[in-house]
Amino acid sequence: MMILITYDVSTETSAGRKRLRRVAKVCLNYGQRVQKSVFECQVNTMEMARLKEQLLQEIDESEDSLRIYRIIEPIEKNREQFGNNRAIDFEGALIV
Amino acid sequence: MMILITYDVSTETSAGRKRLRRVAKVCLNYGQRVQKSVFECQVNTMEMARLKEQLLQEIDESEDSLRIYRIIEPIEKNREQFGNNRAIDFEGALIV
């Protein structure tokens, strides 16, 4: 199944910034980063369960927001993208 | 149809912060803000066209990223949310 992961992790504290990096790292194991806090992932039922488990270990449920949506497939017909969607290295300097 | 709007608008400049507010304002006319840059909207085909047109007038396509996804309905069965998902006033102070 095709899923979209979106999250809001507060970056006001160093603990928050660390969580943000770890959440992104987990998501990168399952799919593609398409925006700063948005990932597209193709997963089966087992991978979905493991992904959720790993993400819940990283977020602070009292602070952070995590949402997972199932996208209608094929995603190419159910997703529109506008603007600057080139792959950006979200950690490092912007490479142009 | 149920759609998810996600966007990345650079907040490094005042022009970017202004675009961010205006994009959010447009989205608020069509649905519910669920994360800082994520909206859930129930729209028909005509509303979808108008929404896209309005959003494209607000973003800077060379800088910003805008993505629109169709979510499998009913959304309640195809969305999972974890953590802090209470309605947050994203513009003003955090009201606790």
Side-chain angles (χ1 to χ4, degrees):
Chain A
M1 74 192 103
M2 174 58 75
I3 62 170
L4 199 73
I5 302 171
T6 71
Y7 51 83
D8 265 358
V9 175
S10 163
T11 52
E12 278 158 27
T13 64
S14 60
R17 287 189 292 275
K18 187 178 168 192
R19 289 198 308 273
L20 188 66
R21 283 192 301 272
R22 292 174 65 96
V23 166
K25 209 168 161 204
V26 167
C27 293
L28 279 172
N29 292 329
Y30 294 87
Q32 184 192 3
R33 188 176 215 164
V34 292
Q35 287 176 343
K36 280 186 186 151
S37 300
V38 178
F39 280 76
E40 292 176 5
C41 304
Q42 183 74 20
V43 292
N44 59 36
T45 314
M46 229 172 58
E47 289 164 333
M48 174 73 143
R50 205 167 47 219
L51 170 59
K52 273 191 286 189
E53 196 187 310
Q54 290 172 347
L55 288 174
L56 289 175
Q57 282 168 4
E58 300 301 349
I59 67 168
D60 174 342
E61 291 202 51
S62 70
E63 291 272 332
D64 310 329
S65 162
L66 171 69
R67 303 174 80 85
I68 300 175
Y69 294 88
R70 281 199 58 199
I71 306 294
I72 302 175
E73 299 189 62
I75 191 168
E76 293 73 19
K77 288 193 176 159
N78 293 284
R79 168 194 61 204
E80 293 189 68
Q81 49 190 352
F82 305 92
N84 172 3
N85 287 287
R86 71 182 185 279
I88 295 176
D89 171 5
F90 291 101
E91 262 74 57
L94 187 66
I95 303 145
V96 288
Chain B
M1 74 191 104
M2 174 57 76
I3 62 171
L4 200 73
I5 301 172
T6 71
Y7 52 83
D8 266 359
V9 175
S10 164
T11 53
E12 277 158 29
T13 64
S14 60
R17 287 188 292 275
K18 188 179 170 192
R19 290 199 307 275
L20 188 66
R21 284 192 300 272
R22 293 174 65 96
V23 165
K25 210 169 164 203
V26 167
C27 293
L28 278 170
N29 291 330
Y30 293 87
Q32 186 191 4
R33 187 176 217 161
V34 292
Q35 286 176 345
K36 280 185 186 150
S37 300
V38 179
F39 280 77
E40 292 176 5
C41 303
Q42 183 73 24
V43 291
N44 59 37
T45 314
M46 228 174 57
E47 288 165 334
M48 174 73 144
R50 204 167 52 223
L51 170 59
K52 275 191 286 188
E53 196 188 310
Q54 291 173 347
L55 288 174
L56 289 176
Q57 283 168 2
E58 300 300 350
I59 66 168
D60 174 343
E61 292 202 51
S62 68
E63 292 271 331
D64 310 329
S65 163
L66 172 68
R67 303 173 80 85
I68 300 175
Y69 295 88
R70 281 199 58 198
I71 306 295
I72 303 175
E73 298 188 63
I75 191 167
E76 294 73 20
K77 289 193 175 157
N78 293 283
R79 168 195 61 203
E80 292 189 69
Q81 49 189 352
F82 305 93
N84 174 3
N85 288 287
R86 69 181 187 281
I88 294 176
D89 171 6
F90 291 102
E91 262 74 54
L94 186 67
I95 301 146
V96 288

